[in-house]
Amino acid sequence: MSDIMTPIPFGKMMNWILEEHKKGAIFGIRRPFVADQSKKYEIFGRTLETPFGPAAGPHTQLTQNIVAAYVAGSRFFELKTVQKLDGEDLPVAKPCIKADDECYNCEWSTELYVPQAYDEYVKAWFACKVLAKEYGLGSMDGFQFNMSVGYDLEGIKLEKVDRFIEGMKDASAAPIFNECRQWLLDNLDRFDNLTKEDVESISPEICNCATLSTLHGCPPQEIERIASYLLTEKKVHTFIKCNPTLLGYEYARKLMDDMGYDYVAFGDFHFRDDLQYTDAVPMLQRLQKLADEKGLEFGVKITNTFPVDVKQNELPSEEMYMSGKSLYALSMSVAQKLAKDFDGKLRISYSGGADYFNITKIVDAGIWPVTMATTMLKPGGYQRLEQIGRIFEAKQAPVFEGVDAAKVRVLVEGARTDKHHVKAVKPLPSRKVNSPVPLVDCFIAPCQEGCPIHQDITRYLQLAGEGKHEEALKVILNKNPLPFITGTICAHNCMSKCTRNFYEHPVHIRNAKLTAAEGGFDALMKDLKAGDAENGKTAAIVGGGPAGMAAAFFLSRAGFAVTLFEKEASLGGVVKHVIPGFRISDEAIANDVA
């Protein structure tokens, strides 16, 4: 598979969406999030149906990524950063992201050419508007795009970047805008709910806000010049990305060590060369005053990831950026300092280890919109957003009244011991499989790969979950004739591989097997018999332990006449005669013997 991104024309993209939707999905999302249009957040003079979405990263680079995130529940999109280096001129070594537990990356801005990136964002703008109306996912005006630009004023003033900014502010003259609009008008007969008036009402004012992304080492004067330029010349609401290096080396090092990330290596170089906190506060105060004078919103985006050393060839670079669960306490510490020193009046947008378990606390503290990347890179992907969206269904959308420094302090202190953020003594198991993944139809259930006999776990879990215990037990017996024993004392390697490990805790697969065995045993035993056709062969098995009983079961089912020799008075081997009764009952063993 090529690592060069190839944009898909808008017409083909819409064909894909319309055809896949007939099969119950949109880009693989099978549980679309339907927003409550009465609950609306407001920022930059526009509304949001949910206060979260994907961060500037792998999930906001191509149209289909943005659309998938929208369908799953996102309503705020921080688009992938554009800058003067683009396309083939931008060196991005691959692989560039590693997200086993906490996350690391060595990529920074869009790999497309700036004009290509622009086209992707316009196509996504149209697609999300259309899906909102056609499939009833929310209001056509219920989401926002936020452009991310960097990394120096000279680059931002270049013609291609300037054209990008102006085109995002008003796309009416852009060929791609008119191409998308015309395709929809020409294909209205393919839609059930979308009307001509809907298409014609789609605004060319795609974006009125920008997040300034700065590279490490960018001097405070340059940051202020860029922000002033965006506010005064471009007239867009502006947020500045702030880094955990504002905390100082000693604080960051101790916090990481205390939380179990002592193996993450970083020096004090960036802490010395990056924007200093004593310079940041007066600079932000000046910019806030300027924004107020211009009638624009201003704030900070926390955080711009955290540079650490590559020590074990994790990624093909000398330095990589850390994000995810390990970044949360650092990011929140920056938010706490700024909330305290600005008396909560400085607006804060957030990204840094946000996920299902902490996002409501972040928003309740007055920090939003919240953008995410690492949690979406874990198993479950975009569908995790639908899980997060359901949280906000039951919450009233608040009016921004400031950031609560006291609540943020509680979040920082809680993160130091929170199991979702500290590094476990025993790391999470690898979700990689040992066998090669096929090129096509490559879905493999990790739990099934973890099982030594490759039971059809997903099938019997589904049946057991529906209460169809006898059917589930029949599936289990295809490969496992000892469901009571293995349902009680199996080492359950399947659960070590279960993808729910990377959400909260694994599915209790072993318990489900035992439940199916107990619920389906009596009915199944009435019909259980040896193989239909005797093959005329005999077999003798020495030893009536679990292995001997299993061999007898399968040979008998295959038509052999089986004789099993056991010196003890009863079958069961070590399980029966060595393992104590409080671990497994005689009744359970007897059922498998039967």
Side-chain angles (χ1 to χ4, degrees):
M1 182 181 293
S2 171
D3 64 3
I4 298 175
M5 297 184 181
T6 304
I8 301 173
F10 182 74
K12 288 188 176 180
M13 181 73 62
M14 290 306 302
N15 285 333
W16 183 348
I17 292 170
L18 292 169
E19 290 304 313
E20 188 182 2
H21 184 263
K22 294 176 182 177
K23 301 174 183 177
I26 297 175
F27 295 131
I29 307 302
R30 294 189 174 276
R31 295 195 309 273
F33 176 80
V34 177
D36 182 346
Q37 297 182 42
S38 69
K39 296 178 181 177
K40 293 184 179 179
Y41 298 75
E42 186 171 323
I43 188 171
F44 308 137
R46 300 182 181 183
T47 57
L48 288 173
E49 292 169 333
T50 63
F52 67 87
H59 304 98
T60 57
Q61 194 155 214
L62 293 170
T63 302
Q64 56 264 44
N65 299 119
I66 298 170
V67 171
Y70 174 80
V71 173
S74 296
R75 294 299 184 265
F76 186 83
F77 301 83
E78 186 190 13
L79 304 173
K80 187 73 167 173
T81 307
V82 299
Q83 49 123 353
K84 61 185 177 183
L85 280 179
D86 60 353
E88 294 179 358
D89 295 329
L90 180 67
V92 179
K94 301 293 179 67
C96 58
I97 300 176
K98 179 178 174 63
D100 292 335
D101 194 7
E102 70 269 20
C103 185
Y104 302 97
N105 74 83
C106 59
E107 47 88 50
W108 26 316
S109 58
T110 180
E111 296 173 49
L112 301 172
Y113 289 102
V114 171
Q116 285 181 307
Y118 176 77
D119 286 358
E120 290 301 289
Y121 303 153
V122 175
K123 289 187 291 183
W125 176 253
F126 269 95
C128 292
K129 296 266 189 185
V130 169
L131 298 189
K133 180 62 184 290
E134 179 66 11
Y135 300 133
L137 302 183
S139 167
M140 291 179 71
D141 296 321
F143 66 94
Q144 290 190 45
F145 283 4
N146 173 238
M147 56 181 151
S148 176
V149 297
Y151 293 97
D152 59 354
L153 185 56
E154 177 189 354
I156 289 173
K157 285 185 172 181
L158 284 177
E159 182 185 0
K160 65 181 177 183
V161 180
D162 184 70
R163 192 185 305 119
F164 172 88
I165 295 172
E166 291 299 322
M168 292 296 284
K169 289 166 57 181
D170 183 356
S172 57
I176 187 63
F177 184 88
N178 292 290
E179 176 189 323
C180 296
R181 186 174 182 272
Q182 192 59 50
W183 188 92
L184 291 169
L185 292 173
D186 292 342
N187 289 272
L188 280 174
D189 60 325
R190 301 181 62 186
F191 296 92
D192 295 324
N193 300 308
L194 187 74
T195 67
K196 178 182 178 182
E197 291 72 25
D198 292 327
V199 176
E200 291 176 341
S201 72
I202 295 177
S203 172
E205 297 175 358
I206 294 172
C207 191
N208 66 351
C209 56
T211 295
L212 169 59
S213 183
T214 55
L215 286 175
H216 293 280
C218 186
Q221 300 87 348
E222 179 75 353
I223 296 173
E224 188 166 2
R225 279 195 294 268
I226 301 171
S228 298
Y229 172 77
L230 292 172
L231 288 165
T232 58
E233 299 298 324
K234 298 290 107 178
K235 298 179 176 58
V236 292
H237 305 288
T238 301
F239 276 35
I240 296 176
K241 282 189 178 179
C242 291
N243 300 313
T245 49
L246 288 170
L247 298 169
Y249 174 79
E250 289 76 16
Y251 180 95
R253 182 70 271 173
K254 185 176 188 308
L255 183 62
M256 292 290 285
D257 291 348
D258 290 348
M259 294 181 66
Y261 299 98
D262 51 332
Y263 58 87
V264 177
F266 55 89
D268 63 355
F269 169 78
H270 287 301
F271 292 87
R272 287 185 283 105
D273 283 12
D274 278 5
L275 176 67
Q276 300 297 299
Y277 191 78
T278 52
D279 295 324
V281 171
M283 178 191 76
L284 295 173
Q285 289 171 337
R286 291 190 295 270
L287 290 169
Q288 180 70 75
K289 182 181 178 182
L290 176 62
D292 291 342
E293 293 171 354
K294 299 294 182 182
L296 296 167
E297 294 185 37
F298 174 79
V300 294
K301 174 68 180 284
I302 297 172
T303 174
N304 199 23
T305 68
F306 185 63
V308 300
D309 300 335
V310 173
K311 286 293 188 182
Q312 299 178 345
N313 297 316
E314 295 95 338
L315 292 173
S317 59
E318 295 180 0
E319 187 176 70
M320 57 189 178
Y321 298 105
M322 183 189 77
S323 60
K325 61 184 283 186
S326 53
L327 187 61
Y328 177 73
L330 290 171
S331 299
M332 274 297 157
S333 294
V334 178
Q336 179 189 350
K337 287 172 68 72
L338 291 172
K340 179 176 179 293
D341 290 341
F342 280 82
D343 195 26
K345 293 181 173 60
L346 180 67
R347 189 102 196 209
I348 299 176
S349 175
Y350 188 83
S351 184
D355 59 21
Y356 173 84
F357 298 102
N358 57 33
I359 191 168
T360 52
K361 298 174 185 176
I362 297 171
V363 174
D364 287 345
I367 298 174
W368 56 271
V370 178
T371 60
M372 296 163 283
T374 299
T375 191
M376 297 165 67
L377 291 167
K378 300 289 185 70
Y382 293 90
Q383 202 71 73
R384 286 174 174 242
L385 297 170
E386 184 258 348
Q387 183 186 35
I388 293 171
R390 290 203 306 270
I391 300 175
F392 290 96
E393 286 180 329
K395 297 179 68 66
Q396 196 60 42
V399 175
F400 177 73
E401 296 178 344
V403 178
D404 190 323
K407 287 185 177 180
V408 181
R409 184 179 67 252
V410 171
L411 295 183
V412 173
E413 293 306 313
R416 295 173 184 270
T417 56
D418 188 335
K419 66 179 182 179
H420 299 298
H421 293 289
V422 298
K423 188 69 175 183
V425 176
K426 179 190 245 184
L428 287 170
S430 171
R431 57 182 187 269
K432 300 292 185 182
V433 298
N434 295 325
S435 57
V437 176
L439 184 62
V440 181
D441 295 332
C442 59
F443 173 78
I444 294 176
C447 54
Q448 190 164 327
E449 287 295 299
C451 174
I453 59 173
H454 291 80
Q455 294 178 87
D456 192 354
I457 293 171
T458 56
R459 180 60 181 150
Y460 77 67
L461 282 180
Q462 179 184 20
L463 292 168
E466 295 171 354
K468 300 175 181 177
H469 295 139
E470 183 182 358
E471 292 92 332
L473 185 54
K474 288 179 179 178
V475 172
I476 294 167
L477 291 178
N478 283 336
K479 291 189 175 181
N480 177 6
L482 308 172
F484 285 89
I485 292 174
T486 57
T488 306
I489 59 172
C490 171
H492 55 73
N493 293 330
C494 53
M495 290 171 62
S496 296
K497 288 287 186 180
C498 177
T499 56
R500 294 304 305 188
N501 275 301
F502 302 91
Y503 288 78
E504 66 290 286
H505 51 72
V507 173
H508 294 168
I509 299 171
R510 186 175 70 183
N511 289 359
K513 181 188 302 169
L514 183 59
T515 299
E518 292 171 341
F521 179 75
D522 290 338
L524 180 127
M525 288 299 290
K526 294 177 182 178
D527 299 323
L528 191 65
K529 57 184 178 181
D532 292 332
E534 295 184 4
N535 61 19
K537 298 179 181 179
T538 60
I541 296 172
V542 179
M549 288 193 292
F553 180 90
F554 289 118
L555 285 171
S556 178
R557 196 166 66 178
F560 284 78
V562 181
T563 303
L564 195 154
F565 295 88
E566 168 58 49
K567 69 177 181 178
E568 300 290 345
S570 57
L571 300 179
V574 168
V575 178
K576 169 71 173 176
H577 303 294
V578 176
I579 294 178
F582 67 82
R583 286 288 286 115
I584 183 169
S585 68
D586 286 345
E587 180 185 3
I589 300 170
N591 285 340
D592 279 349
V593 170

